[in-house]
Amino acid sequence: MAAPRHGAFHPLTVAEVDRLTDDSVALTLRVPEELREDYRHAPGQHLTLRRTAPEGGVEVRRTYSICSPAPTADGPGPAHLRVGVRLVEGGEFSTFAHKEIAAGDVLDVMVPAGRFVLDPAAAPASGHYAAIVGGSGITPVLSIAASLLAARPDARFCLVRSDRTAASTMFLEEVADLKDRYPSRFQLVTVLSREEQESGLPSGRLDEERLTSLLPALLPVAEVTGWFLCGPYGLVQGAERTLHALGVSRTRVHEEIFHVEDTSPAPVRSAASAAAAAGRVTARLDGRSGTWPVQEGESLLDAVLRNRADAPYACKGGVCGTCRAFVVSGEVRMDRNFALEAEETDAGFVLACQSHPVTEEVEIDFDR
Ligand code: FES
């Protein structure tokens, strides 16, 4: 069977729209039998949804994490995929999702992508994992925790989540189900910033000071196999600094930052990128290569997109990682990177949407 094409879109039918809170919904998408292998995903991956506004408007792409558990390696691909969408004020796609999308609609959906993942098959049988999430950062972690606990009967998972109030907390029921199903292996701590809670935990933000006292009291920090941090930039950075101060190795920490705004992050126009020289890029995509000019200040992705409309991207802001490519030869410089881990950049991967040529000739490969 041919491998699914990186960045390919297919039309999927919406099977259900569930209201989770006043400002969030879950969309369940039906995957036809012939596409199930294409939509096979790892726990923690995301989908990019595409909408072309009516009357020739611009195309909008938004990335939403899959919250449903991942299929097992020896079973069939998923028949359904569920994603969580939080409404953002003025957000074009999230407003469309909340006000217009209904069961029976057909959406353009990219095959799963993302490297904020935990492969249960590769996890130690009695691995102890932990996650620190804020707001809609629960979405990929729900899939990670459910998939791990189902696949590994001795594994444990500790979830520390924060939100504003209980009413604004996404996937309350699904998380409560995990607690019921795995009472001795799933540990849950909820911190609400604007509401007192029954557990006795005082309200307030989940900042470094709070995490520094909370984490060692909850679990043996040094023995945790892997940490998953997901949420707004400030929370993820604070959690990362806390773990570092508690002696956790960087290699055990995985991060995914959610942008609170629903619009694409503004492109960085640093002095470096503005001065980025023109050059030529050779790009391999879906088995075919081409060589094209890169204009001054332009990203490698935009240069490729002018010639290959199927080049993979979603946010164009250095956040989602969809445009990841391997640098085969030449040198590039990235404006910013919130998506690739240090091991990936060390291995030669870059975000094409943030990369500019440093050498006159650059060769990149989207297929690796
Ligand atoms: S398109 Fe999202 S990181 Fe490049």
Side-chain angles (χ1 to χ4, degrees):
M1 189 181 306
R5 191 163 65 74
H6 179 48
F9 280 90
H10 300 283
L12 299 185
T13 304
V14 178
E16 235 178 293
V17 181
D18 304 313
R19 187 153 287 283
L20 300 172
T21 65
D22 281 353
D23 66 352
S24 64
V25 293
L27 306 177
T28 303
L29 304 160
R30 192 176 302 125
V31 185
E33 201 147 354
E34 66 278 12
L35 288 177
R36 289 193 186 154
E37 284 310 308
D38 293 47
Y39 284 93
R40 179 179 284 285
H41 62 96
Q45 283 196 305
H46 53 245
L47 298 174
T48 297
L49 309 186
R50 176 170 73 179
R51 179 191 188 217
T52 303
E55 287 142 32
V58 288
E59 177 186 297
V60 176
R61 296 181 178 200
R62 290 292 174 266
T63 300
Y64 297 105
S65 292
I66 303 169
C67 60
S68 39
T72 55
D74 49 1
H80 291 94
L81 295 162
R82 197 168 182 236
V83 295
V85 180
R86 177 156 259 169
L87 178 65
V88 177
E89 214 182 310
E92 196 173 333
F93 199 98
S94 66
T95 304
F96 166 64
H98 278 250
K99 299 213 166 130
E100 295 183 43
I101 295 180
D105 288 355
V106 175
L107 299 177
D108 244 357
V109 183
M110 193 189 283
V111 294
R115 281 158 307 284
F116 180 72
V117 297
L118 188 159
D119 176 6
S126 55
H128 193 171
Y129 290 86
I132 301 168
V133 307
S136 56
I138 182 61
T139 317
V141 168
L142 185 58
S143 177
I144 288 174
S147 306
L148 174 82
L149 294 168
R152 296 302 225 185
D154 295 321
R156 283 176 295 157
F157 201 95
C158 173
L159 171 62
V160 180
R161 71 181 305 189
S162 72
D163 220 299
R164 285 162 292 153
T165 63
S168 73
T169 302
M170 293 170 76
F171 299 115
L172 265 184
E173 256 177 54
E174 289 80 352
V175 170
D177 278 353
L178 285 181
K179 189 109 190 70
D180 288 346
R181 201 176 316 163
Y182 308 106
S184 61
R185 298 197 289 129
F186 181 68
Q187 188 179 13
L188 169 66
V189 173
T190 305
V191 176
L192 300 176
S193 60
R194 298 198 195 153
E195 190 174 279
E196 293 300 329
Q197 35 192 352
E198 289 164 12
S199 65
L201 274 174
S203 61
R205 276 165 30 83
L206 196 54
D207 55 18
E208 281 173 73
E209 194 184 335
R210 194 106 190 254
L211 285 169
T212 303
S213 57
L214 183 62
L215 294 178
L218 272 180
L219 75 177
V221 171
E223 289 164 32
V224 171
T225 321
W227 293 86
F228 289 82
L229 316 180
C230 189
Y233 183 73
L235 178 131
V236 170
Q237 293 294 298
E240 186 200 304
R241 282 194 297 268
T242 305
L243 291 175
H244 182 70
L246 291 172
V248 174
S249 154
R250 181 69 194 82
T251 57
R252 294 192 177 205
V253 181
H254 310 275
E255 296 175 8
E256 183 157 86
I257 289 166
F258 275 18
H259 270 260
V260 284
E261 72 272 32
D262 185 52
T263 50
S264 294
V268 172
R269 282 283 166 256
S270 61
S273 69
R280 289 204 319 161
V281 61
T282 299
R284 180 181 163 88
L285 172 60
D286 200 20
R288 288 189 292 127
S289 293
T291 301
W292 304 289
V294 185
Q295 290 162 9
E296 218 169 283
E298 188 179 43
S299 72
L300 296 185
L301 175 72
D302 282 335
V304 176
L305 274 173
R306 274 191 286 108
N307 302 279
R308 288 283 301 266
D310 55 338
Y313 76 92
C315 73
K316 282 197 179 179
V319 179
C320 72
T322 310
C323 64
R324 187 180 91 143
F326 180 75
V327 179
V328 180
S329 63
E331 202 186 319
V332 308
R333 182 178 49 226
M334 278 199 282
D335 283 331
R336 63 175 167 192
N337 166 30
F338 294 126
L340 300 180
E341 310 243 348
E343 306 85 74
E344 297 176 280
T345 51
D346 289 350
F349 288 97
V350 294
L351 299 171
C353 75
Q354 298 298 308
S355 295
H356 306 276
V358 172
T359 49
E360 207 169 302
E361 300 278 342
V362 173
E363 186 179 351
I364 58 172
D365 186 350
F366 285 99
D367 292 346
R368 293 227 198 159

